[in-house]
Amino acid sequence: MTDGFMGPPWQMDWRLDALASRDALPEHVRKMVDEARAELVTAKDPYFRGIDADGGLPETMSVEPVSSTDPKGPRVLYFDNYRGWLVYAFKQRTEDPQIVVVEIFWQ
């Protein structure tokens, strides 16, 4: 990150369909999603770049790029031991950077 960028906690927004999917989940799953959200908005680097960059996450969560050829593209955060995931993008702007959740799934 460069000096001009704000740091955590990051803003988070949801696409409407992703928010509707989250709201349709059972309450105990929504709590896990809230825990995953808390990890994302407080992460120093929401891209989780580098070797073992997601090592600070709880054992039930991990992050990886959607596509290895797009290093600043969307990421997948797995939660509940890979039973669920959310796909997000980090909009890195000088003012008001934010994380946008575009998809959520749990099985």
Side-chain angles (χ1 to χ4, degrees), residues 45-75:
D45 179 4
Y47 288 124
F48 289 91
R49 292 174 283 213
I51 298 172
D52 199 29
D54 61 355
L57 290 175
E59 289 184 19
T60 60
M61 295 180 202
S62 68
V63 174
E64 64 185 44
V66 170
S67 171
S68 62
T69 59
D70 190 5
K72 290 191 176 183
R75 294 289 195 260

Side-chain angles (χ1 to χ4, degrees), residues 1 6-12 34-48 53 56-58 61 77 88 90 99:
M1 302 232 169
M6 298 170 51
W10 308 107
Q11 299 293 323
M12 182 177 261
D34 291 344
E35 291 170 8
R37 178 196 176 279
E39 293 292 340
L40 279 177
V41 298
T42 59
K44 183 175 180 179
D45 179 4
Y47 288 124
F48 289 91
L57 290 175
M61 295 180 202
L77 183 142
Y88 69 93
F90 181 57
I99 295 167

Side-chain angles (χ1 to χ4, degrees), residues 6-107:
M6 298 170 51
W10 308 107
Q11 299 293 323
M12 182 177 261
D13 198 6
W14 296 74
R15 274 188 22 177
L16 292 178
D17 54 345
L19 185 60
S21 295
R22 180 223 177 261
D23 292 345
L25 294 171
E27 184 176 346
H28 74 284
V29 179
R30 286 194 308 266
K31 288 181 182 181
M32 287 186 273
V33 171
D34 291 344
E35 291 170 8
R37 178 196 176 279
E39 293 292 340
L40 279 177
V41 298
T42 59
K44 183 175 180 179
D45 179 4
Y47 288 124
F48 289 91
R49 292 174 283 213
I51 298 172
D52 199 29
D54 61 355
L57 290 175
E59 289 184 19
T60 60
M61 295 180 202
S62 68
V63 174
E64 64 185 44
V66 170
S67 171
S68 62
T69 59
D70 190 5
K72 290 191 176 183
R75 294 289 195 260
V76 179
L77 183 142
Y78 296 101
F79 63 93
D80 193 20
N81 293 309
Y82 291 88
R83 291 186 67 204
W85 67 80
L86 56 90
V87 177
Y88 69 93
F90 181 57
K91 304 297 182 184
Q92 190 171 345
R93 300 181 289 235
T94 302
E95 291 186 31
D96 195 30
Q98 69 179 5
I99 295 167
V100 178
V101 177
V102 296
E103 179 182 349
I104 186 167
F105 178 81
W106 182 80
Q107 58 183 352

